[in-house]
Amino acid sequence: DGLERNDNCGSSDSLFIPASVKNISELAFAFCFNINTITFEEDSELSFIGPRAFERTGVEAIHFPAKLESLGANAFEQCDALTSVTFAEDSALQTLGYKAFADCGNLTSFEFVEGLKSIGEQVFRMECSNSTCLPPGSPGRRDASPGGLTAAALPASLVSIGVEAFKNCEDLKNVTFAAGSNLESIGQEAFEYCVTLGPTVDLPGKLTSIGDQAFKDCEALETVTFAECGFCGGSGDSGETKAAICDRDCGCCSTGPNCAEVPTPLSRSTVCPARSNLTSIGDEAFQNCVTLGPTVWFPASLTSIGERAFQDCVDLTNIAFDGLACYPVVPGLTIGNDAFDGSGVQGELLPYECYD
């Protein structure tokens, strides 16, 4: 029922896994550089691939069978030739283990299947040389990307994104969340140094926490939204597209009964009752996101903005709060030291006052 560690890689460039195999053990084919093709027999019973099972093999693409539930730690770490990962229809995959695909520099395409609940720590993390990961604008910063994913379309089933899960993926430009996303937490440094991520990231409404440095140094990020509805009109908004989404999902904005006209120093803006569970934004979460702005709209559920959370976001000039027709105060909101230091936000960090 299982494949044990194989100390003799043989000379073949292909590996055939019989249908009866249910698990592949730790280090089973690690360092078999000659293996570039892995084939699973039809109706495979495979449910688990163990730690470091295929570490540093020459596999170029892989299609996992439907019954696979979990990939162990470092399972395909440093598979430099790997470019594509797909899964069978009705995949049972639930978890991606620690560093499962870390430092796979040419892995540009990964199918995030519905049913996946957890992306573990450092799953897609790219190694970081001193020159590669210097902060934006530092002398000696290298513009060349270390590789990694170019897009991540995350399923509604996903609940958590682990610490450093996508850290240093400098080619990652587009991260999206499926409608009805169940995502609750983004771990610290999860997207740190994803320097091409943007221009927009729309975070789902069930998200409760964004970890320390989660989006630090995402220098191409211009817009981030924290609620499924909320602000959907006025100056700087995406216009019809977002208004239509709010109409459909929340029954408000352009035609629905729940809109509120909110006068602000920016414009008269249409606001919906925001659907967001977000309570905390961690320390340095968006530090050095130099193109973020000019406005960030926070959900009214927010209770904590960490220290230096938006430090050196030089294009950020305004903050506002979603889903409230007027807001002289936000009860219980804590703003950490230097949260907006070096940004364009000036004066007391309180939401705009009500207007008659």
Side-chain angles (χ1 to χ4, degrees):
D1 290 343
L3 288 180
E4 301 300 322
R5 179 172 179 174
N6 182 5
D7 292 322
N8 181 9
C9 293
S11 59
S12 176
D13 62 359
S14 62
L15 177 66
F16 179 78
I17 309 295
S20 60
V21 173
K22 294 183 179 179
N23 62 79
I24 298 174
S25 69
E26 183 174 2
L27 291 166
F29 299 96
F31 308 105
C32 290
F33 305 109
N34 53 297
I35 296 175
N36 59 42
T37 302
I38 302 172
T39 303
F40 300 94
E41 188 175 10
E42 190 175 355
D43 297 324
S44 172
E45 295 291 322
L46 185 70
S47 63
F48 176 69
I49 295 177
R52 303 180 65 188
F54 294 95
E55 182 182 2
R56 298 189 66 181
T57 58
V59 62
E60 297 172 358
I62 191 162
H63 181 73
F64 289 112
K67 292 185 179 181
L68 182 68
E69 296 179 1
S70 179
L71 283 160
N74 313 89
F76 288 84
E77 185 178 7
Q78 295 187 55
C79 289
D80 292 335
L82 185 61
T83 61
S84 174
V85 174
T86 57
F87 295 83
E89 189 175 356
D90 299 324
S91 171
L93 185 73
Q94 295 187 31
T95 61
L96 297 174
Y98 171 77
K99 278 192 168 184
F101 294 93
D103 298 318
C104 294
N106 291 300
L107 178 58
T108 58
S109 177
F110 189 96
E111 183 182 12
F112 293 90
V113 293
E114 181 60 34
L116 178 65
K117 295 181 179 180
S118 173
I119 297 175
E121 295 184 13
Q122 300 185 34
V123 171
F124 299 99
R125 186 188 191 276
M126 298 300 303
E127 268 306 324
C128 176
S129 69
N130 290 334
S131 60
T132 301
C133 290
L134 289 171
S138 298
R141 178 179 170 82
R142 181 170 65 84
D143 290 333
S145 169
L149 294 177
T150 59
L154 302 176
S157 57
L158 187 66
V159 175
S160 65
I161 297 174
V163 172
E164 299 185 15
F166 296 90
K167 184 174 181 177
N168 303 332
C169 291
E170 291 201 9
D171 283 346
L172 183 61
K173 297 179 176 64
N174 188 22
V175 174
T176 57
F177 300 89
S181 173
N182 287 288
L183 186 70
E184 296 177 358
S185 65
I186 297 176
Q188 65 185 45
E189 304 175 43
F191 295 94
E192 185 178 8
Y193 292 116
C194 292
V195 294
T196 61
L197 178 60
T200 299
V201 172
D202 293 316
L203 298 172
K206 291 183 180 178
L207 182 68
T208 61
S209 64
I210 298 172
D212 296 349
Q213 303 176 347
F215 293 89
K216 181 179 178 180
D217 291 318
C218 291
E219 57 192 55
L221 185 60
E222 299 176 9
T223 303
V224 59
T225 63
F226 302 102
E228 293 182 19
C229 294
F231 177 62
C232 57
S235 173
D237 187 64
S238 59
E240 293 183 357
T241 300
K242 191 167 183 181
I245 292 171
C246 286
D247 279 342
R248 184 187 68 235
D249 294 346
C250 303
C252 61
C253 285
S254 65
T255 60
N258 299 319
C259 300
E261 287 294 325
V262 181
T264 76
L266 302 176
S267 64
R268 290 190 63 87
S269 304
T270 302
V271 175
C272 299
R275 296 198 309 194
S276 177
N277 293 338
L278 186 68
T279 59
S280 66
I281 297 175
D283 294 347
E284 302 178 11
F286 293 90
Q287 187 183 50
N288 294 329
C289 291
V290 293
T291 61
L292 182 63
T295 302
V296 171
W297 289 78
F298 296 114
S301 57
L302 190 64
T303 60
S304 174
I305 298 175
E307 296 184 0
R308 302 175 298 282
F310 294 86
Q311 187 178 50
D312 296 327
C313 295
V314 294
D315 282 359
L316 181 60
T317 57
N318 297 291
I319 61 170
F321 282 77
D322 259 344
L324 299 174
C326 62
Y327 25 77
V329 295
V330 176
L333 176 64
T334 300
I335 298 176
N337 292 334
D338 301 320
F340 296 89
D341 182 53
S343 75
V345 176
Q346 302 294 323
E348 293 186 18
L349 297 179
L350 293 176
Y352 301 126
E353 295 180 355
C354 294
Y355 284 63
D356 294 328

